[in-house]
Amino acid sequence: MTKYEEELHGWLSRERLWQDLEGKTVMVTGASGMVGKCLTDLFMMRRRIRVIAVSRNERRARERFSAWRGDARFRYVSCDVNSAIPECGPVDYIIHGASHTHPRLYAGDPIGTIAANVFGTRNLLDYGISHGMRRFCFVSSVEIYGENRGDRERFDESYMGYLDCNTLRAGYPESKRLGESLCSAYREAYGTEYVIPRLSRVYGPTMLESDSKAVSQFIRRAAKGENIVLKSDGTPRYSYTFVTDAAAGIVWTLAVGRPGEAYNVVDQESDMTLGELAERLAHIAGSRVVFERPEETERKGYSAATKALMSGDKLARIGWKARVHMEEGLFHTVEQLKNNGFQTAGE
């Protein structure tokens, strides 16, 4: 059993997490992405939950969900959430995780980045309202906090830092902010119940070959035994969370969180600078850290934040706590990818 599978089983034993979800239907958008794949596995392994997995890339989905093919509880729907949602039947919960999540996509498809978080969110809210939805879960991000103004060590859920909205890169955090506001507007207009998990930077063995985030590039190179390429001075300091903990944090927010509230999903024991992260992975790989200038398209998609540490106190107060910390998570991610390879189906 891999560490990934072991951790899924660990979360499956937390009965508080599942008591309101048993026998229900959950729609997961962005289902074939790093976190969406983990969410789908988690729900399907619980056995008494029906899953509607939604993504744009049918070829990737066939590869990612081969284990669930033929299971009556699993249904895959290929669609772009920015268009009308096709008829999928009644749904109890919707988890909207379809979004561009790494620099090359932010820069290469800036309009699509914004659309999924705004138009996609509206389309899914409308679908849920007309199909018996109990609760909507909008998966947000540490990015909404912007740059630390120097007045806080960690971002709690009430913090709001500086964002220059007149930049290409701002499309992602600004549209996440607007997606959150749209949920609030639907609550006021239609009484829609929603919750918002805000994820830190996530890593784990369900990452895709195409993922251009720094942590993903470092892990990919470490798994191949290559030198770790650092494309900055390495000083930005961020919070990280292992993918099974991130997925469980989303489910915990969905099942236990108070309606209308946002919750940071973060392992506070996994804060690290990019330089420290590169050195840690070079040690695991038996390689070294080298420096390289980023490509222009990639550079345009980089976050400007130099310190983005999150407080996980609010989610901890309702019972969630990370199980896998950085050193262990990085080691097992590299080992699993080294042994099993990467998911390579295109975007």
Side-chain angles (χ1 to χ4, degrees), residues 17 19 30 113 126 130 146-147 194 211 222 237 267 281 283 291 326 330:
L17 190 58
Q19 57 191 9
T113 297
D126 287 340
S130 62
E147 178 62 90
Y194 73 91
D211 192 330
R237 187 173 184 85
D267 174 21
L281 283 161
H283 177 75
F291 294 86
M326 199 70 165
L330 290 174

Side-chain angles (χ1 to χ4, degrees), residues 42 62 80 115 150 205 228 238 313:
L42 197 56
R62 284 198 299 269
D80 184 342
I228 310 303
Y238 302 134
D313 292 347

Side-chain angles (χ1 to χ4, degrees), residues 23-315:
K24 303 302 192 301
T25 299
V26 182
M27 177 185 284
V28 179
T29 71
S32 60
M34 176 166 59
V35 178
K37 154 70 172 167
C38 187
L39 279 167
T40 301
D41 288 343
L42 197 56
F43 287 131
M44 290 301 296
M45 289 171 68
R46 183 63 187 182
R47 297 295 178 190
R48 294 183 293 278
I49 298 172
R50 295 178 295 275
V51 177
I52 301 171
V54 177
S55 76
R56 289 186 303 177
N57 191 317
E58 190 169 355
R59 181 165 65 94
R60 183 202 293 172
R62 284 198 299 269
E63 185 178 1
R64 301 284 260 182
F65 302 130
S66 58
W68 310 121
R69 192 176 302 156
D71 192 311
R73 297 172 302 115
F74 177 80
R75 180 182 178 187
Y76 173 71
V77 176
S78 177
C79 82
D80 184 342
V81 297
N82 298 329
S83 304
I85 308 301
E87 180 56 51
C88 303
V91 61
D92 296 293
Y93 300 98
I94 294 177
I95 300 176
H96 180 26
S99 178
H100 291 343
T101 58
H102 61 92
R104 284 200 180 97
L105 285 179
Y106 300 151
D109 184 19
I111 295 173
T113 297
I114 295 170
N117 292 322
V118 181
F119 303 124
T121 302
R122 181 173 186 177
N123 289 336
L124 288 160
L125 283 162
D126 287 340
Y127 184 92
I129 288 170
S130 62
H131 287 76
M133 180 181 66
R134 298 176 177 219
R135 178 172 278 197
F136 186 83
C137 179
F138 178 71
V139 180
S140 192
S141 167
V142 61
E143 296 268 5
I144 67 105
Y145 294 116
E147 178 62 90
N148 192 316
R149 299 190 300 259
D151 57 351
R152 199 75 57 90
E153 178 63 19
R154 292 183 177 276
F155 302 147
D156 64 20
E157 287 79 0
S158 66
Y159 189 78
M160 199 55 62
Y162 172 74
L163 273 176
D164 181 357
C165 64
N166 192 28
T167 63
L168 178 70
R169 181 59 175 76
Y172 179 69
E174 291 284 16
S175 62
K176 282 293 188 185
R177 285 181 173 182
L178 186 52
E180 292 193 15
S181 296
L182 195 56
C183 291
S184 180
Y186 267 71
R187 183 186 188 187
E188 182 67 23
Y190 302 106
T192 306
E193 189 168 297
Y194 73 91
V195 287
I196 299 170
R198 293 174 180 160
L199 302 187
S200 73
R201 286 161 172 83
V202 178
Y203 69 99
T206 52
M207 60 176 272
L208 292 158
E209 176 78 22
S210 57
D211 192 330
S212 64
K213 292 192 295 290
V215 62
S216 301
Q217 291 189 45
F218 294 171
I219 289 171
R220 185 164 56 245
R221 286 182 169 273
K224 295 176 181 179
E226 299 173 352
N227 289 335
I228 310 303
V229 178
L230 187 59
K231 299 179 181 180
S232 70
D233 61 7
T235 57
R237 187 173 184 85
Y238 302 134
S239 295
Y240 296 90
T241 309
F242 189 66
V243 67
T244 53
D245 287 336
I250 292 171
V251 180
W252 202 281
T253 302
L254 176 68
V256 185
R258 294 181 59 185
E261 295 284 326
Y263 295 85
N264 289 340
V265 180
V266 57
D267 174 21
Q268 289 189 190
E269 296 185 37
S270 293
D271 298 340
M272 198 170 288
T273 68
L274 285 178
E276 291 168 342
L277 178 60
E279 292 289 350
R280 187 82 48 100
L281 283 161
H283 177 75
I284 291 171
S287 61
R288 62 191 181 91
V289 177
V290 298
F291 294 86
E292 185 179 291
R293 291 176 62 88
E295 298 173 359
E296 182 62 17
T297 299
E298 188 178 19
R299 184 195 62 76
K300 288 180 179 179
Y302 283 175
S303 170
T306 56
K307 183 180 181 183
L309 307 181
M310 301 170 76
S311 167
D313 292 347
K314 185 175 179 180
L315 193 57

Side-chain angles (χ1 to χ4, degrees), residues 1-30:
M1 183 182 291
T2 65
K3 184 65 177 174
Y4 174 78
E5 294 166 331
E6 177 186 325
E7 289 304 314
L8 289 178
H9 282 287
W11 284 110
L12 288 171
S13 67
R14 300 293 299 275
E15 290 301 321
R16 185 183 181 192
L17 190 58
W18 306 106
Q19 57 191 9
D20 290 334
L21 300 175
E22 300 284 74
K24 303 302 192 301
T25 299
V26 182
M27 177 185 284
V28 179
T29 71

